[in-house]
Amino acid sequence: MNILFASSEAVPFAKTGGLADVSSSLPSALSRLGHKVRLIIPAYREALQSGIPIEDLGIEFEIPIGNQMVKGSLLESRLPGSGVPVILVRQDHYFDRSGIYNFQGEDFSDNCERFVFFSRAVLETVELLKWEIDILHSNDWQTGLVPVYQDVLYREKPRYTRIATLHTIHNLAYQGVFWHWDMVLTGIDWKYFTFDKMEFYGKLNLLKSGIVFAKGISTVSSRYADEIQTSEYGCGLEPVLQYRHQDLRGILNGIDTDHWNPANDKYLAAPFSTADVFEKKPLCKAALQQTMQLPRRPEAPIFAMVGRLAYQKGVDLILETIPDWVQNHGVQYYILGTGDRGTEESFQELQRKFPENVAIRLEFSDALAHQIEAGADMFLMPSRYEPCGLNQMYSQLYGTVPIVRETGGLADTVIDVEEGSIAGGTANGFSFSGDWPHDFNRTIWRALHCYLENPALWRSIMLNGMRQDWSWANSAKHYVDYYEELLVE
């Protein structure tokens, strides 16, 4: 198949979140399966300064934006490690900025205009470069107009007649909602500004537009696909998703098992595998305690969290329960990430109050993230919603048992320790379904009791997690199956 993957960000060119990881890993995995894949992204300042070789193709074009014509040009590069071609759409007024979507916490006021331009440039590039495309795969609100343009403005053109579109929802909470007069910028007829197409409570909704017009829709886990059709998780779009439920697929994200592999991880004091994890992981634990400047106590259970310190991630539950587990059970906590000022200060206050048990690093460090995954005993993810989640997968591969709230991708990847899963040899973590500190505490207690009182069962839980296949190779096959289904219809 010929696949064009359109995204607003991709590692290593530009990144704000998990979309960037998917946008490099999935095209690479599809390429390894023998498909011809191309990736197209904006030429941000960050991308142009990434140090990756980028060639100017000498191809210029114009896009109608409202009542004006805006010029752009095409650059080309490759994804390191896979050689997948990357087209970068250059338009310096839109993309040569500090920040991708915002600066110093404020969204750019012309974000709609910027991604109208990019989305239409995706379609124009197909003709400019004379591509034969089978699947046009767009992602999130930033490319939500790609399926609209394909269906409304380009479908009847010779090079576009057989293209099937797939739009992936990575996080439904971010929808690209703009005032209704931005509809003029799109060049799409006002007849499409209706409740069943592009309009959303009087405004233009780019994610909704992609969901409505794409031939197929996917999201990043099976459970999340079900959840977003409910009022609790649907963010106002649940009626649209319910209407299109037959076209919605939940396909779990994969992880980069070259970068996340405890057997050859350059950041670890003692790399390990299932063969020697019980000898080597304690060395990683000791090294982590030393790095984080907490007492080297091999008997102390280590709880960890890496990620955004946000309400969505359940950090309020973690904050509320730390004092009890520290004071009464001697647990050590290792927290890596950033959040709003109030949350950061709350964690810092706990660190001051319990200097021998709580270590906080308000930053992002890839090296430290790996060291925490390898050195911790348990990983905390009490997320209120989690479309997919990656850290629970990293944790399992590193023999660190996840404690999660049963939602989204966490529910799809963590099998709770209970009588049936123990007997079946599938238990790989602990989960709970409530939303209160006592629900979280009860699950922590189950995990801690197992850790302290049943080491044989604990070791089997660790090994079950380490043997999981969360690679992109597995996930990419599911995408290929859906691509083929879309092409047959």
Side-chain angles (χ1 to χ4, degrees), residues 46 106-107 111 151 155 160 168 170 212 236 238 247 328 339 350 443:
E46 181 179 334
E106 293 291 327
D107 286 349
N111 269 346
D151 190 64
R155 173 70 63 189
Y160 301 84
T168 296
H170 295 266
V212 169
E238 62 273 13
D247 303 312
N328 298 320
L350 286 171
T443 308

Side-chain angles (χ1 to χ4, degrees), residues 221-262:
S221 70
S222 178
R223 174 65 72 91
Y224 193 58
D226 293 332
E227 289 177 343
I228 60 178
Q229 296 179 61
T230 69
S231 59
E232 183 179 0
Y233 295 98
C235 302
L237 292 181
E238 62 273 13
V240 182
L241 292 160
Q242 291 166 8
Y243 180 75
R244 297 218 55 197
H245 73 278
Q246 291 184 330
D247 303 312
L248 175 61
R249 302 288 187 276
I251 302 175
L252 193 70
N253 280 342
I255 62 175
D256 185 345
T257 50
D258 291 327
H259 188 59
W260 289 94
N261 184 344

Side-chain angles (χ1 to χ4, degrees), residues 351-403:
Q351 183 174 241
R352 286 190 290 269
K353 188 174 182 179
F354 306 112
E356 294 192 352
N357 293 82
V358 179
I360 311 296
R361 296 290 184 272
L362 300 176
E363 59 177 304
F364 177 77
S365 165
D366 192 39
L368 190 53
H370 284 245
Q371 292 159 10
I372 288 174
E373 291 285 12
D377 297 300
M378 285 158 261
F379 195 92
L380 308 178
M381 291 187 73
S383 302
R384 286 184 166 80
Y385 71 92
E386 194 69 61
C388 176
L390 297 177
N391 279 103
Q392 82 278 12
M393 301 185 207
Y394 301 152
S395 299
Q396 289 176 346
L397 292 185
Y398 281 64
T400 297
V401 177
I403 300 175

